[in-house]
Amino acid sequence: MTGWSKAKTAQDIRDLVEKGFLMEAGEGISQGGRKPRLLCINRNLGFVVGVDIGATSVDVALADISGSVLQRYSEPADVRQRPEPFLGRCVEIILHLMELQGCRADQILGIGIGVPGPVDFARGVLVAPPLMPDWENFSIRGFVKESFPNAFVVVDNDVNIMALGEQRAGDGINVDHFIFVKIGTGIGAGIVSNGKIHRGSTGCAGDIGHICVDKNGPICRCGNTGCLEAMAAGPAIAEKAMQAALNGSSLLLKNLMNQNGGVLRPEDVNTACREGDQAALEIIRASGQMIGDVLAGLVNFFNPSHIFIGGGIANFGNHLLVSIRRAVLRRSLPLATTHLSINFSRMGPDAGVTGAVALALEYLFVIEDQPTTTI
Amino acid sequence: MTGWSKAKTAQDIRDLVEKGFLMEAGEGISQGGRKPRLLCINRNLGFVVGVDIGATSVDVALADISGSVLQRYSEPADVRQRPEPFLGRCVEIILHLMELQGCRADQILGIGIGVPGPVDFARGVLVAPPLMPDWENFSIRGFVKESFPNAFVVVDNDVNIMALGEQRAGDGINVDHFIFVKIGTGIGAGIVSNGKIHRGSTGCAGDIGHICVDKNGPICRCGNTGCLEAMAAGPAIAEKAMQAALNGSSLLLKNLMNQNGGVLRPEDVNTACREGDQAALEIIRASGQMIGDVLAGLVNFFNPSHIFIGGGIANFGNHLLVSIRRAVLRRSLPLATTHLSINFSRMGPDAGVTGAVALALEYLFVIEDQPTTTI
């Protein structure tokens, strides 16, 4: 495959074994002559870490360099904090997992980090992130490298890492063209084209939460009016439910609100819907339809074979999914929808952290394609 | 590069030279030893043809297998005809160009054909094409192969071939992520992701003409309401101008209509606009804004570095372009627009036919990636 001579190949392999990158893995089956010696990557070479930062939680996994997760930890968190304390806590969690596994900081070779905002992938920084303004241009890599000097740190959008997770370990294996849609506090998409993550020219592809669904709609965090995110994501769902509770159109939502000390969360709307509340059902259906209307346009444009839906709102079940599907089928062209599958991701909360580990591994053995700035 | 031994390489090259695929091209510069013998692909090996079928015209080019165009011909045409007479005429044109060049039918090795409708790329047929219903599932390859049995025939969407043309010979050279938008009788997009044409899972990516801009808008050929194409493409522009002529809001348009025997074409609206007609200007601006609103969403989703605009309406000049740019800048996220260039394609009517030649060449030397059905 390399086109190298036998002598050069043997010498290079001896070097790699001596340096500990490769190790012998027994003998193979003879093809007539001497039995071949098999080699594999030395699993004890080091470790990689995946960090999935959500708006309200953080997930961390410690894996070996084959990608097998060895330790895993999640806790609630708030990204509206400044980056230093937030990332400081992430480092603490990583150190804790390393202690459990008995590994040293210099053995951490790669760290993949997903963040909920637009990332300039080459520079590894957030640019104008609506959810976490204090993080703008903050060097996440620089901060994390201080604790793990041997690690190559890669930062990407949270939805890109979920798409990567779905591609490596979920139903996205061997799928050439798909869209992973995350619906939670925000709405975003991870895109796979010809089997590769499509990050776009400045790395911010997939920002579908700010596609306009109603020019006369409410003002969004981004400053525009009627963005999908402002009208259909978690906070909008909770807000509409509060209105329904207050204007008397749902007694159940009103009771839930009173139990919660005067507020409603998106989960409460889901609970009410499951108990048969009509107002809650309508709110969820309306969200599904708006998301489906936007996806219909993207299906015409991108023609994916699969759309995977994940994120906190994804467990809202069939009412949401049916509304999304219906809107897409109504507005997309027949050729684009005949073989289109729209489903919840079956990876649940694992998609992000699995993808973050995959992201770290992707850049571990690649020099030329690494994001360009100082690491 | 191949990893083959010297002996095998020399033997294979001798074979290719004997078969006429390669030819010697003199001597190279010595790197110390014997001067290397240079080889190039035998330009006399055969020819390729590019056919760009538009809604109202057909462009044909005959090129050598390096892609240099040798003969070129265009004429008005109407795709609403049945495919047999239309393609029969295309074959006549090809035979005419071959005669001018002095080449035989068995020397035609590849034919690339662009058609204005959704193409199932693997099968090479149109699927539910709104402009040309009689072509549905018609085997374009089969028909053309009858006259050129040695040619590998590839059929693609007209806008994909324009994108390919822009990538091979226009401002899209070395651009990783761009969108080519064709605005004419219809509106469609060709997409390049990571340097490759993105055709999507069933080959119909880029069908942006049927993205909804107004749920209460007019009914489109596709059966839905308020599609971009129904509201902003050539026929919609002409229709609005007729209204302006009839309701007295533009005397100039009324005069043009009377001169034209009671109808207005999109070109007339452009003429009126250039002469300072306010109603015509408003019509063009409104189209630009609607196209820009849709592109704004696609910029958020796809994050291209360039948008090239071509097609019959593209020569409408700056009023259209400014409206498109303004709408995109207003609705897209800052990170996606900072380095975004939106311009008319400078290839004009050459984009399509250049791309059709490139498409033919792309599949000429590739066996495994060829579209799958009988050729």
Side-chain angles (χ1 to χ4, degrees):
Chain A
M1 270 163 61
T2 57
W4 295 343
S5 69
K6 260 192 184 173
K8 174 170 167 52
T9 309
Q11 180 57 48
D12 283 4
I13 285 175
R14 265 195 305 275
D15 274 5
L16 289 168
V17 172
E18 268 166 33
K19 286 178 182 154
F21 289 107
L22 295 180
M23 55 188 285
E24 301 218 7
E27 290 183 332
I29 294 158
S30 164
Q31 307 278 340
R34 201 149 47 122
K35 282 186 187 165
R37 280 152 59 209
L38 298 180
L39 295 157
C40 68
I41 287 172
N42 183 355
R43 289 205 179 194
N44 302 317
L45 192 62
F47 300 87
V48 296
V49 173
V51 181
D52 176 20
I53 298 176
T56 57
S57 65
V58 60
D59 270 40
V60 182
L62 177 69
D64 66 22
I65 61 164
S66 75
S68 300
V69 171
L70 307 166
Q71 302 287 342
R72 171 84 192 270
Y73 183 81
S74 306
E75 69 178 24
D78 185 353
V79 287
R80 288 170 301 181
Q81 288 177 66
R82 284 201 48 78
E84 297 89 344
F86 193 103
L87 291 171
R89 177 62 191 150
C90 291
V91 168
E92 271 176 35
I93 296 171
I94 298 171
L95 292 170
H96 174 64
L97 296 182
M98 285 163 52
E99 203 180 304
L100 291 177
Q101 190 63 31
C103 90
R104 303 181 314 271
D106 64 304
Q107 290 179 296
I108 303 290
L109 303 182
I111 303 180
I113 302 177
V115 290
V119 171
D120 180 334
F121 186 68
R123 291 165 56 224
V125 300
L126 283 145
V127 179
L131 269 179
M132 43 209 296
D134 288 342
W135 292 58
E136 172 137 28
N137 278 321
F138 180 83
S139 174
I140 298 172
R141 273 188 209 153
F143 187 94
V144 173
K145 287 280 286 183
E146 279 181 26
S147 304
F148 307 101
N150 288 356
F152 183 75
V153 181
V154 198
V155 181
D156 203 351
N157 182 279
D158 58 340
V159 201
N160 284 346
I161 62 164
M162 291 172 93
L164 205 53
E166 195 71 41
Q167 191 189 33
R168 293 303 160 84
D171 294 324
I173 292 176
N174 293 329
V175 176
D176 282 342
H177 311 290
F178 71 81
I179 303 177
F180 191 106
V181 180
K182 182 186 181 185
I183 313 169
T185 309
I187 297 179
I191 306 165
V192 169
S193 161
N194 289 311
K196 287 185 71 172
I197 295 278
H198 171 89
R199 293 190 174 90
S201 70
T202 54
C204 70
D207 217 330
I208 65 171
H210 301 281
I211 292 180
C212 182
V213 285
D214 181 0
K215 283 189 180 178
N216 305 314
I219 293 178
C220 178
R221 279 188 304 237
C222 77
N224 272 316
T225 51
C227 292
L228 177 64
E229 189 166 301
M231 296 189 66
I237 289 173
E239 172 66 28
K240 285 190 213 167
M242 303 261 280
Q243 283 167 17
L246 293 171
N247 71 18
S249 62
S250 165
L251 197 62
L252 183 53
L253 285 171
K254 191 174 182 189
N255 290 341
L256 282 168
M257 190 166 103
N258 290 339
Q259 285 168 30
N260 282 348
V263 291
L264 281 172
R265 300 154 305 176
E267 306 88 277
D268 301 319
V269 189
N270 189 28
T271 307
C273 180
R274 279 178 202 275
E275 292 183 22
D277 185 79
Q278 194 61 32
L281 174 62
E282 286 306 323
I283 291 168
I284 289 175
R285 278 193 180 149
S287 271
Q289 195 194 315
M290 286 184 274
I291 295 164
D293 282 345
V294 166
L295 290 181
L298 300 179
V299 164
N300 282 347
F301 174 74
F302 192 70
N303 184 209
S305 63
H306 293 70
I307 295 178
F308 301 108
I309 297 170
I313 307 297
N315 54 16
F316 275 31
N318 276 333
H319 292 302
L320 183 74
L321 193 58
V322 166
S323 309
I324 292 175
R325 281 186 184 151
R326 203 174 280 163
V328 171
L329 289 179
R330 194 177 47 236
R331 292 264 8 157
S332 298
L333 291 170
L335 182 53
T337 53
T338 310
H339 301 289
L340 174 65
S341 136
I342 304 178
N343 276 299
F344 289 126
S345 164
R346 293 189 298 166
M347 295 191 74
D350 286 341
V353 82
T354 306
V357 166
L359 181 68
L361 289 171
E362 191 164 315
Y363 286 95
L364 208 55
F365 298 110
V366 178
I367 300 300
E368 52 195 325
D369 275 353
Q370 281 183 352
T372 46
T373 23
T374 48
I375 51 170
Chain B
M1 269 162 62
T2 57
W4 294 344
S5 69
K6 260 193 183 173
K8 175 172 166 51
T9 309
Q11 179 57 48
D12 284 3
I13 286 175
R14 264 195 306 276
D15 274 4
L16 288 168
V17 171
E18 269 166 33
K19 285 178 181 154
F21 290 107
L22 295 180
M23 54 189 283
E24 300 219 7
E27 289 184 332
I29 294 157
S30 165
Q31 306 279 337
R34 199 149 49 121
K35 281 188 189 164
R37 280 154 57 208
L38 298 181
L39 295 158
C40 69
I41 287 173
N42 183 354
R43 288 205 179 193
N44 302 318
L45 192 62
F47 300 87
V48 295
V49 173
V51 181
D52 177 19
I53 299 175
T56 57
S57 64
V58 61
D59 270 42
V60 182
L62 178 69
D64 67 22
I65 62 165
S66 76
S68 301
V69 172
L70 307 168
Q71 302 286 342
R72 173 82 192 272
Y73 182 82
S74 303
E75 69 178 25
D78 184 354
V79 286
R80 287 170 302 181
Q81 287 178 65
R82 286 202 47 78
E84 297 88 345
F86 193 103
L87 291 171
R89 177 62 191 151
C90 292
V91 168
E92 272 175 34
I93 296 172
I94 298 171
L95 291 170
H96 174 64
L97 296 181
M98 284 163 53
E99 202 181 306
L100 291 176
Q101 190 62 32
C103 92
R104 303 181 314 273
D106 64 303
Q107 289 179 297
I108 303 292
L109 303 181
I111 303 180
I113 303 176
V115 288
V119 171
D120 180 334
F121 186 69
R123 289 166 58 224
V125 299
L126 284 145
V127 179
L131 269 180
M132 42 210 296
D134 287 343
W135 293 58
E136 172 138 28
N137 278 319
F138 180 82
S139 174
I140 299 173
R141 273 188 210 154
F143 187 94
V144 174
K145 287 280 285 181
E146 279 182 27
S147 304
F148 306 101
N150 288 355
F152 184 74
V153 181
V154 199
V155 181
D156 203 351
N157 182 277
D158 59 340
V159 201
N160 283 346
I161 63 163
M162 291 171 93
L164 205 53
E166 194 70 43
Q167 191 190 32
R168 293 302 161 84
D171 294 324
I173 292 176
N174 293 328
V175 176
D176 282 341
H177 310 291
F178 71 82
I179 303 178
F180 190 107
V181 180
K182 180 186 182 186
I183 313 171
T185 309
I187 297 179
I191 307 165
V192 169
S193 162
N194 290 310
K196 286 185 70 172
I197 295 277
H198 171 87
R199 294 191 174 87
S201 70
T202 54
C204 69
D207 218 329
I208 65 171
H210 301 281
I211 293 180
C212 182
V213 286
D214 181 1
K215 283 188 181 179
N216 305 314
I219 293 179
C220 178
R221 280 187 302 238
C222 77
N224 272 315
T225 51
C227 292
L228 177 63
E229 190 167 299
M231 296 188 68
I237 288 173
E239 172 65 29
K240 284 190 214 167
M242 303 262 278
Q243 284 168 18
L246 293 171
N247 71 18
S249 62
S250 166
L251 198 61
L252 183 54
L253 286 171
K254 192 174 180 186
N255 290 342
L256 283 168
M257 189 165 101
N258 291 340
Q259 286 167 29
N260 283 345
V263 291
L264 281 171
R265 299 153 307 172
E267 306 87 276
D268 301 319
V269 188
N270 189 30
T271 306
C273 180
R274 279 179 202 275
E275 292 183 24
D277 186 78
Q278 195 60 32
L281 174 62
E282 287 306 323
I283 291 168
I284 289 175
R285 278 193 180 151
S287 271
Q289 194 192 318
M290 285 184 275
I291 295 165
D293 282 345
V294 166
L295 290 180
L298 300 179
V299 165
N300 282 347
F301 174 75
F302 193 71
N303 184 207
S305 63
H306 294 70
I307 296 178
F308 301 107
I309 297 171
I313 307 295
N315 54 14
F316 274 32
N318 275 333
H319 291 302
L320 183 75
L321 193 58
V322 166
S323 307
I324 292 175
R325 281 185 184 150
R326 201 174 281 162
V328 171
L329 289 178
R330 193 176 51 233
R331 293 266 5 158
S332 297
L333 292 169
L335 181 53
T337 53
T338 311
H339 301 289
L340 174 65
S341 137
I342 304 179
N343 275 300
F344 289 126
S345 164
R346 293 190 296 168
M347 295 191 72
D350 286 342
V353 82
T354 306
V357 166
L359 181 68
L361 288 171
E362 191 163 316
Y363 286 94
L364 209 55
F365 297 110
V366 178
I367 299 301
E368 52 195 326
D369 276 352
Q370 282 182 350
T372 46
T373 21
T374 48
I375 50 169

